[in-house]
Amino acid sequence: MVVLPSWVPAADIEKALAVLVEEGERVKREWSQVVWERLTLAHAPTFEWAEGLTLPEAAERYGASVEEFCRVLLIETRLEAGCVMARPDEGPRGEESIRAIMRDPGHMGGSDGIHVGGHPHPRAYGTFARYLGRHVRELGDLTWEQAAVHFASHPARRFHLPDRGLIRPGQIADLIVVNPETVSDTATYQDPRSLSVGINDVLVAGVPVLKDGHLTGATPGRALRAA
């Protein structure tokens, strides 16, 4: 998604792989505008040694141009390779934009963090703890009560899950016990799998899956359909 030209049929893996093999030089020419330094490999089956490296760093170790390494990587992993893309530093203006979105009454908390790979995006392990620690406790963008609405009630209503998102009789007991004084994310780009703190107990459908900071082994979660 990040690097393939629009004319490559990425939705059809076999056809896309054929293009990368047969028209590799054309594809590489179109990669001249890619800012490779912004791409860090997060998931690279059979290329695990490259996870955590930028594309130029990995290409140098591989002994090829960054374009050729990327082509080989996509072919060998059958397009399964994933990366973390750094965005330009927008400074205070960027954070203020995020804060403005979070304060909007229509905002819903969520994450597109992907947990596979040896070097995922840090938000995969710290999204909601960061919401609560940074934006609720430290910055006051939301009250604790508003946070519960934005992160639970709004999503349940938006995705038509009427028995979730609220604490009341008859609702499914999906519950998280949060310490408001300590909840915080610890994951960084350098250590993306570092676990958050301040959330030691989680119940899914009333069953403890995290108790006193330890996994219980219970897996009561299931796929849901909109009502």
Side-chain angles (χ1 to χ4, degrees):
M1 182 180 71
V2 175
V3 300
L4 287 179
S6 60
W7 54 270
V8 177
D12 187 320
I13 293 178
E14 298 305 328
K15 289 183 178 179
L17 293 175
V19 170
L20 288 170
V21 172
E22 299 166 7
E23 300 191 57
E25 294 305 315
R26 178 187 174 190
V27 172
K28 288 192 290 184
R29 285 195 300 271
E30 296 203 16
W31 281 342
S32 61
Q33 302 302 314
V34 176
V35 183
W36 298 105
E37 291 77 11
R38 291 175 57 192
L39 305 181
T40 298
L41 280 172
H43 177 52
T46 73
F47 289 83
E48 286 84 359
W49 58 267
E51 294 177 347
L53 300 178
T54 65
L55 263 294
E57 291 170 339
E60 182 177 3
R61 293 196 188 184
Y62 186 74
S65 69
V66 66
E67 293 83 3
E68 177 59 15
F69 173 71
C70 185
R71 188 184 75 89
V72 171
L73 177 71
L74 293 174
I75 292 172
E76 294 296 323
T77 64
R78 294 182 57 80
L79 306 189
E80 191 177 332
C83 70
V84 172
M85 183 169 63
R87 66 188 182 110
D89 184 7
E90 298 174 342
R93 179 180 178 182
E95 182 172 50
E96 183 51 43
S97 295
I98 294 173
R99 296 180 65 189
I101 292 172
M102 294 189 68
R103 291 190 294 261
D104 189 282
H107 163 265
M108 297 188 302
S111 171
D112 62 354
I114 300 173
H115 290 77
V116 299
H119 204 86
H121 195 290
R123 289 291 75 75
Y125 277 70
T127 293
F128 292 96
R130 185 171 184 84
Y131 274 141
L132 297 174
R134 176 67 172 159
H135 292 279
V136 178
R137 182 182 63 240
E138 296 178 9
L139 298 176
D141 293 320
L142 299 169
T143 65
W144 292 99
E145 294 80 4
Q146 288 171 332
V149 172
H150 281 236
F151 305 150
S153 302
H154 279 351
R157 184 176 64 253
R158 176 64 181 82
F159 292 104
H160 304 287
L161 304 172
D163 57 355
R164 285 172 166 79
L166 296 171
I167 300 177
R168 66 184 182 189
Q171 297 289 104
I172 301 299
D174 292 338
L175 302 171
I176 299 172
V177 182
V178 176
N179 185 330
E181 296 181 357
T182 62
V183 63
S184 182
D185 65 308
T186 67
T188 64
Y189 285 98
Q190 292 71 38
D191 187 13
R193 288 183 176 272
S194 181
L195 299 179
S196 299
V197 297
I199 301 175
N200 292 325
D201 294 274
V202 177
L203 291 85
V204 175
V207 179
V209 296
L210 185 71
K211 184 176 177 60
D212 297 328
H214 301 284
L215 294 173
T216 65
T219 56
R222 62 184 180 84
L224 302 176
R225 292 182 181 275

